[in-house]
Amino acid sequence: MSLAPVRPARRLPRRLLQLYVGLALYGASSAFLVRAGLGLDPWDVFHQGLAERTGWSIGTVSVAVGALVLLLWVPLRQRPGLGTVSNVFAVGLTMDATLAVLPDVHGTLAQAALLTAGIVLNGVATGLYIAARFGPGPRDGLMTGLHRRTGRSLRLVRTGIELTVLAAGVLLGGTAGVGTVAYALAIGPLSQLFLRVFAVPEETLPEETLPEEEGKAAEPARAGEAPGALEPAGAPAPARAGDSARG
């Protein structure tokens, strides 16, 4: 057996695949919620309200809002990763692409089924994207940045942000309803489940130690310190329950 440590690059293809499949599925799941017509998650209520006012597609608005939120990282001294920048564009584009081919549904049962499928798919997408460990999305980075600068708890900051965008979205004409409540209740447990399912194993040294290290136990790689994980300082741990890809 080779004495050389396992190289992190061997995990990179899987992580990149998880990142972009997760972002694409997140956009598709958001489109499911739009077509269900029973209520969206808080940020998409805001995006939909802006889309109603501007005449832009909801995906285009999502991209624009994500880019503006990313600009707010500058005074907060947050550092974006590959996943951060990819999130800005990929979710909105795949959301619009899915809406272009997904027809409207009619009837309570059909709407409820599409809502359920959208929420579950969103949980799958969240697990894929966050477990890839390429940095938080722009909205989650705003949350962690405000947490660091204000000293307020993450829960309080996140709740404040989401209530603000939800209220603004409703005032602009976005759809909030039973789907919004169902999403809020279900996305945490679903994210927790699928983060475990799609977790990328940490890189570890082989059992044998190098000659100069004989007599010392090999130290396992610590969670969150895998080389190549482009997460900014202060970002929440990837496996935190309730985190979503729509960061």
Side-chain angles (χ1 to χ4, degrees), residues 69-168:
V69 170
L70 191 55
L71 290 177
L72 295 177
W73 282 35
V74 177
L76 295 174
R77 298 181 181 178
Q78 294 285 92
R79 292 176 297 168
L82 175 64
T84 309
V85 178
S86 299
N87 182 296
V88 171
F89 298 99
V91 172
L93 293 176
T94 54
M95 186 178 184
D96 274 351
T98 304
L99 286 170
V101 298
L102 187 66
D104 290 324
V105 296
H106 304 283
T108 303
L109 288 179
Q111 289 176 290
L114 192 58
L115 172 68
T116 302
I119 293 174
V120 173
L121 185 60
N122 193 278
V124 172
T126 297
L128 283 165
Y129 162 68
I130 296 180
R133 304 195 311 274
F134 278 108
R139 296 158 186 82
D140 276 340
L142 174 63
M143 172 190 67
T144 57
L146 288 172
H147 157 68
R148 290 171 59 197
R149 295 301 291 269
T150 65
R152 304 293 184 181
S153 70
L154 282 171
R155 183 182 299 275
L156 179 61
V157 172
R158 181 167 190 154
T159 299
I161 291 173
E162 295 199 347
L163 287 177
T164 299
V165 296
L166 176 60

Side-chain angles (χ1 to χ4, degrees), residues 185-198:
L185 293 175
I187 194 60
L190 287 171
S191 297
Q192 179 87 7
L193 170 63
F194 289 111
L195 278 165
R196 291 173 179 170
V197 171
F198 298 117

